[in-house]
Amino acid sequence: MTKSLQIVRTLSALRAALAPHRRAGRRIGFVPTMGALHDGHISLVQRAQQVCEVCVVSIFVNPTQFAPGEDLDTYPRTEAEDVSRLSAVGCDLVYLPEVEDIYPQGSVTQVRVEGLSDLLDGRFRPHFFYGVTTVVARLFVHVEPDLAVFGEKDFQQLQIIRRMTHDLGFGIEIIGAPTWRDADGLAQSSRNAYLDPAERRCAGVINRSLHRAARRLAIGRSVAEVSDEMQATLRQAGINKIDYAAVVDPDTLKGRPDEPLKPGDPARVLIAAWLGGTRLIDNMDGSRPA
Ligand code: PAF
């Protein structure tokens, strides 16, 4: 039987739509998005569907995670295409709230995960994670899912949301899903649409640098050497604005000491770099095998 996608735009309609599922004891999985859905988002939906009876996706371009001068106004908005993609994969419900539903008039409450939010991307986009945790906390309260799926592409975001969920006792299982990539390794992102053809051809170097870094860490090269090599590879490819090319502890997100990892040491390698006016991020496991 083909399921039909329910489209709801207000909190009261959302609660009414989910109530029968809750009464029936169905497990609700949730994928928050900002829309402009690509295959990576669809893979998150499919991950939620594997483990839940009901899948809810939200589409909300969250103003509080954009700083003045960032791309809030030009961020791609493709509602009709998004709805048809969700319908095609059998998603149950899409929540398309208005700003006033998420941020009621006069709203002043923020959710901040101190520490983790101030490292890596937080150093370059200080507003960003406070906006993300504020909106995700509100969406969690609206949807009340059993489980939520976030992409590992935004690894720092995933770790911050795990911490927020733990600290606030939401009782929601957080699943990290693998990054969806183009054939040359470029992590799929709605912002890839901003790349011109030359930038797009160059962009695969980010993922190649991460792979090389992970291989070099695995054979005992020092963190300092590997970080310098990532920077050099990116620069050779013509990428000159690099926010970071880092090897960090996956839990604390703090830089690993500048020495070789010991066998079994966990690590994450991450890059944030600019191709023209587009900021791209990617990461992968850099743990040294035991
Ligand atoms: O990853 C995103 O698309 C956004 O940061 C999120 C989690 C939907 C919050 O606006």
Side-chain angles (χ1 to χ4, degrees):
M1 195 185 78
T2 322
K3 288 197 286 182
S4 62
L5 176 68
Q6 254 185 297
I7 301 174
V8 299
R9 295 183 186 273
T10 63
L11 176 55
S12 54
L14 174 74
R15 291 198 165 132
L18 290 177
H21 295 301
R22 259 189 254 288
R23 275 198 299 276
R26 295 187 194 110
R27 209 162 140 77
I28 297 172
F30 178 43
V31 181
T33 80
M34 297 207 300
L37 301 183
H38 49 66
D39 292 349
H41 292 114
I42 299 303
S43 73
L44 306 183
V45 171
Q46 289 169 330
R47 184 75 187 88
Q49 288 173 322
Q50 282 166 4
V51 282
C52 291
E53 285 111 327
V54 180
C55 178
V56 178
V57 170
S58 63
I59 297 180
F60 178 68
V61 181
N62 173 36
T64 64
Q65 67 192 74
F66 291 80
E70 288 190 343
D71 55 345
L72 173 62
D73 293 338
T74 54
Y75 195 85
R77 286 159 172 90
T78 56
E79 185 183 307
E81 290 91 329
D82 293 348
V83 164
S84 96
R85 290 205 73 167
L86 293 173
S87 182
V89 292
C91 177
D92 298 279
L93 191 150
V94 59
Y95 180 38
L96 295 146
E98 295 295 335
V99 173
E100 296 68 33
D101 282 294
I102 300 293
Y103 299 108
Q105 188 87 48
S107 158
V108 289
T109 304
Q110 284 195 353
V111 176
R112 291 172 165 242
V113 177
E114 302 287 347
L116 290 182
S117 301
D118 307 319
L119 304 166
L120 298 168
D121 281 333
R123 288 178 47 218
F124 297 89
R125 304 182 71 200
H127 59 285
F128 177 66
F129 290 115
Y130 297 137
V132 169
T133 42
T134 297
V135 77
V136 172
R138 287 163 185 246
L139 288 166
F140 279 180
V141 170
H142 288 201
V143 178
E144 295 182 75
D146 297 286
L147 170 153
V149 186
F150 293 85
E152 282 180 355
K153 186 200 144 239
D154 300 296
F155 185 76
Q156 184 173 10
Q157 170 173 280
L158 171 64
Q159 297 302 70
I160 289 170
I161 286 165
R162 283 190 203 285
R163 176 62 66 83
M164 174 189 80
T165 304
H166 169 268
D167 288 359
L168 295 182
F170 274 119
I172 298 169
E173 183 185 347
I174 304 297
I175 294 195
T179 303
W180 204 256
R181 299 181 181 284
D182 288 350
D184 66 349
L186 176 66
Q188 292 209 352
S189 160
S190 306
R191 288 190 170 104
N192 292 354
Y194 299 156
L195 299 172
D196 71 23
E199 290 162 354
R200 175 63 196 83
R201 278 194 297 280
C202 176
V205 71
I206 294 179
N207 187 244
R208 288 198 298 282
S209 311
L210 291 170
H211 272 285
R212 183 163 193 271
R215 285 197 304 272
R216 306 274 289 164
L217 289 167
I219 60 166
R221 299 293 173 180
S222 77
V223 164
E225 192 181 346
V226 168
S227 306
D228 290 349
E229 284 171 0
M230 282 195 282
Q231 294 260 359
T233 310
L234 295 172
R235 287 187 202 287
Q236 271 159 22
I239 299 181
N240 294 315
K241 190 170 171 197
I242 303 165
D243 283 352
Y244 56 78
V247 182
V248 306
D249 179 295
D251 294 322
T252 64
L253 301 178
K254 292 196 174 130
R256 301 253 7 164
D258 281 343
E259 51 203 45
L261 300 177
K262 290 191 269 315
D265 270 352
R268 199 88 193 172
V269 279
L270 304 98
I271 288 176
W274 291 79
L275 272 101
T278 310
R279 186 174 189 273
L280 299 178
I281 57 169
D282 198 359
N283 69 87
M284 62 181 290
D285 183 22
S287 306
R288 185 160 180 198

